[in-house]
Amino acid sequence: MKIIGIDAGGTSFKVLVIDGSDGIVARNRVATTSPQETLGEVAQWIDCQKSEHPDIAAIGIASFGPIDRDPASPDWGRIGVTTKDGWEGANPRRALAQSSGLPCALETDVNAALLGECELGAGLGLSDAAYLTIGTGVGGAALVDGALVGAPWHGEFGHVRLRREPSDIAAFAGSCTFHGDCVEGIASATAIRSRWKAQPHELPDDHECWVEVSSALAQLCHAIACLVAPQRIILGGGLMLRDSLLARIRSDFDAVVGGYASRPEVLDASTYIVRAGLGDDAGAIGGAAVARHHLAVTGGVNA
Amino acid sequence: MKIIGIDAGGTSFKVLVIDGSDGIVARNRVATTSPQETLGEVAQWIDCQKSEHPDIAAIGIASFGPIDRDPASPDWGRIGVTTKDGWEGANPRRALAQSSGLPCALETDVNAALLGECELGAGLGLSDAAYLTIGTGVGGAALVDGALVGAPWHGEFGHVRLRREPSDIAAFAGSCTFHGDCVEGIASATAIRSRWKAQPHELPDDHECWVEVSSALAQLCHAIACLVAPQRIILGGGLMLRDSLLARIRSDFDAVVGGYASRPEVLDASTYIVRAGLGDDAGAIGGAAVARHHLAVTGGVNA
């Protein structure tokens, strides 16, 4: 059985045909312009793939948001208020289901990434896992006994409040429009650019910025361990490409935990907090995982 | 069908016979002395009830801890290291299952309270809910799509870290042995007694202590809303008997949320944060809910 996985991003749609045993058997990338043009081009490519691979069983989309992620909603897949010109009100899930005649499932990009990691990546086989992406913003997702938290809505992992050093509070009010210095307002690439007037990748490993970024992310991981108590926390996103940041977060996390946890996995950050295992294809693989997740849960999805 | 619900506490075991339609049809209370004596007395009373009510189908226990709460463990129900003399290694679940011949399920007292609230109390019918108990300590539990978080372990809701005012930090380091000024170290009755040298019920509604207690609990509720995104948060425990505290927490919560949430319920604290609905019988009713929960999930529980 093959699945089409789509990473629907603000810059481009990446589309993969994934075979359960052979992995990725075809790939394409389509620029995100207007819904008509982009979805039309994706639909056309899927049509070609269907004639070449008649065992394609479903489509799964990992989508930028905000989206209606409720499979029970008549508007499942509809994009809400967005700065992305022309996309408000578009429904990539419905459009591709109708054009292809295939069942088509959709999730937020972060939820999809977590499902992908639990199917093929750093959370292989876990029923209880959390995922954070640290890039332009900070987002997250968690599975409890195989179910995504917050359905039919989602969590706001990046907006947890932090304890900060008084000198940091005095120096920087944070970049979050809603909360100032929540996790996203301190530890995202946007926050780093705003406070240090530099791109994160330009700042060396020993730059002072990483002290507070690491503290913020370790505090967020600790709140997740306290409230969701997953088996593992997986970190992805552009900022996590830096090895020294992962090492700092683990060290800060051990200090915040203070040797106290019910779940024993929490007590060793070196195995509890890990880097995402799927690379550039994570979004599209996550999309395919969404399709399989919905096929497993519902035994099929409506077009 | 009738269920026996047991609130296994450090001071006494409260035992109820609960009928699905008629409510509580019998009750008893046994002092917590030694496991042999207490469990023997409870077993004897259950024996009498069984002859009077032959349709008793199961026993459910809400237990003090630490306990092994894993139904798949050979030691399900075993009490771990505890200051309660003689109880370490005791297994109330196995003892009562064997003496009664009935299926017997067990959960932590906090998990059981949440299941009880969702069955008969302030979370009636919810699949996604969180519960906090604020008393000697601060504990919590959450359901995601009907599953308790952290299985087969549990969360540590009281140990989330807080943002505090510098003047508070200078005045009080917190009472938590592990973390100092985590939520439990600031907002529990133990913390209030330690900082203000008074019993919480002696302090008037306008005492300054409630400002930080409310801030701590509102921050914890916000972290729960961000990371678990339940449909409702239910507050119980001795400190929540004070009306003005609930009002303060709601007001502080609205301020922390800052109008930003995916789940719309979060945006109105007056309906999102509610008081527990079950009174003195909450523990035992929770125990009965645990039995029904396990009967529903597993179709029966092992003796």
Side-chain angles (χ1 to χ4, degrees), chain A residues 114-115 117-119 122-131 141-149 228-234 263 265 293, chain B residues 144-145 147-153:
Chain A
L114 173 57
L115 293 177
E117 290 291 337
C118 289
E119 198 174 283
L124 198 67
L126 299 185
S127 60
D128 291 71
Y131 172 83
L143 277 178
V144 172
D145 197 23
L148 289 158
V149 301
V228 186
Q231 296 159 283
R232 199 173 298 158
I233 300 176
I234 301 162
R263 182 184 282 283
E265 293 97 315
H293 183 75
Chain B
V144 172
D145 196 24
L148 289 158
V149 301
W153 308 92

Side-chain angles (χ1 to χ4, degrees), chain A residues 151 156 162-163 226 256 263, chain B residues 151 156 161-163 226 263:
Chain A
E156 296 288 357
L162 297 170
R163 161 166 306 198
C226 286
V256 185
R263 182 184 282 283
Chain B
E156 295 288 357
R161 293 312 213 290
L162 297 170
R163 161 165 307 197
C226 286
R263 182 184 283 284

Side-chain angles (χ1 to χ4, degrees), chain A residues 161-240:
Chain A
R161 292 313 212 291
L162 297 170
R163 161 166 306 198
R164 301 179 65 205
E165 292 299 327
S167 56
D168 283 317
I169 296 174
F172 183 55
S175 67
C176 174
T177 317
F178 297 95
H179 310 114
D181 54 359
C182 58
V183 178
E184 179 163 294
I186 294 298
S188 64
T190 308
I192 294 171
R193 278 193 291 268
S194 165
R195 177 165 182 186
W196 303 99
K197 314 300 175 206
Q199 297 298 329
H201 71 266
E202 296 166 351
L203 298 167
D205 282 355
D206 60 355
H207 189 278
E208 59 178 311
C209 79
W210 303 116
V211 175
E212 192 175 24
V213 168
S214 170
S215 164
L217 295 171
Q219 286 183 60
L220 175 54
C221 287
H222 183 247
I224 292 170
C226 286
L227 300 179
V228 186
Q231 296 159 283
R232 199 173 298 158
I233 300 176
I234 301 162
L235 306 185
L239 262 65
M240 291 314 300

